[in-house]
C-alpha cells in the first residue's frame, strides 16, 4: 500500500473516530439544556408511582386520577401550536425560562391542592409550561449542537430517558412520605434547571434565533406535507398505548399488591431501558434496518406486548415484564420517529416539532381517561386490549403510507 493510501486511510479513521466522539463534545449551552430536559421529564416519572395514592387520599376514581395526564397532554397539544410563534419573538433562552417558571408555579400549586379537580387544573397549567420548554428544548439542542442533527436528537432522547428513569425512583421514595412530596420535588429540580439555563445559555442577543417571526398558522401549513402528517398521526395512535401504560398500569400493579416503592422500581427499569436503547441501539437499528422498517417492527412488538398484558392481566410477572420490556421498544422508537420528523418536511425544525407534537399529544390526552373509563365499564384487561389495538393500527397506517416517508432514511444518512 502506498504512503498516500496509508495516510488517507489513517485520516479516514481519525475522521470516523472524531465523528463518533463528537457527540460528547458539545457547547456549554447544549449541556445546560440537556440537564434541564432531565429535570423536566423527571416530572412524568415522579408522579407515576403516586397515582393510586392520590386516588385514595383525594377520594377520586381511577378515571378521575388519569385526568392528570389528560389535562396535561391536552394543554400541551394545543400549546404546541403557539410555541414556534412565542420562540420566534422571545428567543430560545427566554422561552425556555418562561416554560420552566410556569412549571414551577403549577407544581407548587399542585402540591398544596385539596381536591382532584384542582389538581387536574394545575396539571393543565404544568402542561402549558412543559409545552414551551419541550418544543423549544429540541430546537435549542439541534440548533446549538456542534455535531449532526441525528446526534443532537440522540442527546435529547437520552435526556428524556434519564429523566423518566430517575423520576419513578424519586417519586416512589418521596411518595412514601406524602403524595404531595413529588410535586415539591419537581419544583425544586426545575428551579435548579432554571438557574442552569440562566447562567449557562448564551444571552438572548448572542443566541441563535429564527430568521423570521412565525405565524400561528405555520404548524397547520406544515401538516400539508404528507410525510409530517403521516408521522404525526402515527405518533397519535401509538401514544394511546404509551399513555395507557403510563397512566393505567400503576393501578393494575396496586391491585396486585405492589406498593409505591415497587411501582417506582418497576418504572425505573422501564425508564432505564428507554434511555439506554434510545442512545445506543436506535442509531444502530437505523443504519442496519432503516428508520421506517425499524419503527414498524418496534411498534408491532409494542402492540403485541400490550395485548399479552391484557391477556394475562392477573399474572404479575407478565405485567411487570411487559412494562419494563416496553421501555426498550419505546426508547428505540422515540429516537427513530423524532429523527424522522426533523427530516420529514422542508420547514423550520421548530415548526415541524410543533405540528408533530400537536398530533402526538392528542393521543396522549385521550388515552389515559379512556383507559380509566374502560376499566370501570368492563374490566382491567380492556384498556390494554384497546391500547394495543391502537398501536397495531399505527403499524398498518405506516405500511399503507410508506411511500410518503421513505425519503427520511436517505436524509437521515446524509445528516
Amino acid at each position: 500500500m502506498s504512503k498516500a493510501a496509508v495516510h488517507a486511510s489513517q485520516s479516514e479513521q481519525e475522521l470516523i473516530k472524531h465523528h463518533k466522539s463528537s457527540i460528547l463534545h458539545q457547547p456549554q449551552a447544549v449541556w445546560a439544556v440537556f440537564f434541564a430536559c432531565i429535570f423536566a421529564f423527571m416530572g412524568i416519572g415522579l408522579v407515576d408511582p403516586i397515582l393510586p395514592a392520590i386516588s385514595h387520599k383525594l377520594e377520586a376514581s381511577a378515571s378521575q386520577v388519569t385526568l392528570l395526564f389528560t389535562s396535561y397532554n391536552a394543554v400541551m397539544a394545543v400549546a404546541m401550536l403557539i410555541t414556534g410563534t412565542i420562540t420566534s419573538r422571545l428567543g430560545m433562552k427566554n422561552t425556555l425560562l418562561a416554560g420552566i417558571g410556569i412549571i414551577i408555579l403549577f407544581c407548587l400549586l399542585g402540591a398544596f391542592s385539596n381536591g382532584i379537580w384542582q389538581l387536574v387544573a394545575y396539571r393543565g397549567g404544568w402542561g402549558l409550561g412543559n409545552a414551551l420548554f419541550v418544543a423549544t428544548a429540541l430546537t435549542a439542542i439541534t440548533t446549538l449542537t456542534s455535531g449532526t442533527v441525528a446526534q443532537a436528537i440522540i442527546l435529547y432522547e437520552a435526556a428524556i430517558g434519564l429523566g423518566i428513569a430517575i423520576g419513578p425512583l424519586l417519586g416512589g421514595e418521596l411518595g412514601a412520605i406524602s403524595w404531595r412530596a413529588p410535586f415539591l420535588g419537581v419544583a425544586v429540580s426545575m428551579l435548579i434547571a432554571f438557574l442552569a439555563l440562566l447562567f449557562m445559555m448564551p444571552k438572548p442577543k448572542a443566541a441563535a434565533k429564527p430568521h423570521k417571526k412565525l405565524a400561528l398558522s405555520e404548524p397547520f401549513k406544515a401538516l400539508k406535507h404528507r410525510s409530517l402528517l403521516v408521522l404525526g398521526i402515527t405518533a397519535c395512535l401509538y401514544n394511546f398505548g404509551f399513555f395507557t401504560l403510563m397512566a393505567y398500569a400503576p393501578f393494575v400493579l396496586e391491585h396486585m399488591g405492589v406498593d409505591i416503592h415497587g411501582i417506582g422500581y418497576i418504572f425505573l427499569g422501564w425508564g432505564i431501558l428507554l434511555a439506554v436503547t434510545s442512545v445506543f441501539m436506535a442509531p444502530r437499528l437505523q443504519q442496519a434496518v432503516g428508520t421506517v422498517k425499524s419503527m414498524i417492527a418496534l411498534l408491532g412488538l409494542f402492540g403485541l406486548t400490550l395485548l399479552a398484558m391484557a391477556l394475562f392481566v392477573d399474572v404479575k410477572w407478565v405485567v411487570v415484564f411487559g412494562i419494563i420490556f416496553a421501555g426498550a421498544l419505546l426508547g428505540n422508537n422515540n429516537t427513530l420517529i423524532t429523527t424522522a420528523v426533523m427530516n420529514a418536511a422542508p420547514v423550520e425544525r421548530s415548526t415541524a416539532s410543533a405540528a408533530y407534537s400537536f398530533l402526538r399529544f392528542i393521543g396522549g390526552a385521550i388515552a389515559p381517561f379512556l383507559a380509566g373509563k374502560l376499566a370501570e365499564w368492563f374490566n382491567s384487561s380492556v384498556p390494554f386490549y384497546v391500547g394495543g389495538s391502537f398501536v397495531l393500527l399505527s403499524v398498518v397506517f405506516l405500511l399503507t403510507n410508506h411511500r410518503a416517508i421513505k425519503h427520511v432514511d436517505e436524509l437521515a444518512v446524509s445528516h
Side-chain angles (χ1 to χ4, degrees):
M1 185 180 291
S2 66
K3 291 183 178 180
V6 171
H7 178 71
S9 178
Q10 290 175 341
S11 299
E12 184 179 0
Q13 290 176 358
E14 290 175 359
L15 183 62
I16 293 172
K17 183 179 179 182
H18 171 74
H19 177 73
K20 289 182 177 179
S21 63
S22 61
I23 191 172
L24 298 177
H25 293 81
Q26 300 292 341
Q28 177 177 275
V30 171
W31 290 118
V33 178
F34 175 83
F35 286 108
C37 283
I38 293 177
F39 287 130
F41 281 93
M42 277 172 55
I44 297 177
L46 271 167
V47 175
D48 213 49
I50 62 170
L51 293 177
I54 292 174
S55 177
H56 295 311
K57 296 295 184 181
L58 297 183
E59 300 180 350
S61 66
S63 61
Q64 288 175 328
V65 174
T66 58
L67 284 172
L68 295 176
F69 281 95
T70 293
S71 64
Y72 177 81
N73 286 322
V75 173
M76 275 191 72
V78 176
M80 283 294 178
L81 297 173
I82 63 171
T83 54
T85 301
I86 293 173
T87 304
S88 68
R89 287 161 172 77
L90 297 182
M92 287 188 297
K93 180 174 182 176
N94 288 336
T95 306
L96 289 170
L97 292 175
I100 292 176
I102 293 171
I103 293 172
I104 293 172
L105 171 63
F106 283 100
C107 282
L108 291 174
L109 290 172
F112 296 103
S113 60
N114 294 310
I116 187 61
W117 299 113
Q118 274 186 323
L119 197 54
V120 167
Y122 293 147
R123 273 286 282 182
W126 186 345
L128 171 62
N130 221 48
L132 292 174
F133 176 82
V134 169
T136 311
L138 177 57
T139 304
I141 288 181
T142 55
T143 301
L144 299 172
T145 183
S146 61
T148 64
V149 172
Q151 288 174 334
I153 290 170
I154 290 171
L155 280 175
Y156 177 76
E157 293 296 339
I160 292 175
L162 286 170
I164 290 177
I166 297 169
L169 180 63
L170 293 179
E173 298 303 316
L174 292 174
I177 301 171
S178 168
W179 70 265
R180 301 177 190 274
F183 286 87
L184 294 173
V186 173
V188 172
S189 64
M190 291 311 294
L191 178 60
I192 296 171
F194 183 93
L195 295 173
L197 288 176
L198 183 65
F199 294 110
M200 293 177 69
M201 270 197 81
K203 294 180 180 179
K205 290 183 180 179
K209 293 182 180 179
H211 296 294
K212 62 178 182 178
K213 293 182 178 180
L214 299 177
L216 289 171
S217 60
E218 292 297 321
F220 293 106
K221 291 179 180 178
L223 290 174
K224 292 180 180 179
H225 295 281
R226 186 170 177 80
S227 54
L228 191 57
L229 181 63
V230 167
L231 292 171
I233 293 175
T234 299
C236 177
L237 293 172
Y238 92 75
N239 258 357
F240 273 85
F242 185 102
F243 280 98
T244 295
L245 194 76
M246 285 291 292
Y248 179 67
F251 291 100
V252 176
L253 293 172
E254 188 214 16
H255 290 317
M256 293 178 172
V258 182
D259 62 9
I260 288 180
H261 294 288
I263 296 173
Y265 287 128
I266 290 168
F267 276 94
L268 170 66
W270 175 83
I272 288 174
L273 280 184
L274 190 148
V276 170
T277 55
S278 67
V279 176
F280 297 106
M281 190 174 175
R284 288 175 171 79
L285 274 177
Q286 187 179 56
Q287 292 176 355
V289 183
T291 303
V292 180
K293 289 181 180 178
S294 296
M295 285 167 52
I296 290 171
L298 291 163
L299 290 174
L301 285 173
F302 180 42
L304 293 176
T305 299
L306 289 173
L307 293 182
M309 291 171 65
L311 191 61
F312 300 99
V313 74
D314 294 321
V315 182
K316 184 187 292 187
W317 76 264
V318 173
V319 175
V320 172
F321 176 80
I323 292 170
I324 296 173
F325 178 62
L329 302 176
L330 292 167
N332 279 302
N333 188 71
N334 287 348
T335 295
L336 291 168
I337 197 167
T338 305
T339 304
V341 167
M342 292 294 100
N343 295 320
V347 297
E348 296 262 0
R349 288 172 188 159
S350 59
T351 302
S353 176
Y356 159 76
S357 296
F358 167 67
L359 292 176
R360 174 188 181 186
F361 287 110
I362 287 176
I366 299 171
F369 183 67
L370 178 63
K373 279 297 181 184
L374 288 172
E376 291 176 6
W377 294 335
F378 303 103
N379 56 61
S380 57
S381 64
V382 173
F384 292 122
Y385 277 123
V386 173
S389 298
F390 271 103
V391 175
L392 293 178
L393 182 60
S394 75
V395 175
V396 174
F397 186 73
L398 276 177
L399 288 169
T400 55
N401 289 277
H402 182 265
R403 291 182 62 183
I405 55 174
K406 64 179 182 179
H407 66 283
V408 299
D409 284 312
E410 299 172 0
L411 290 172
V413 172
S414 66
H415 284 69

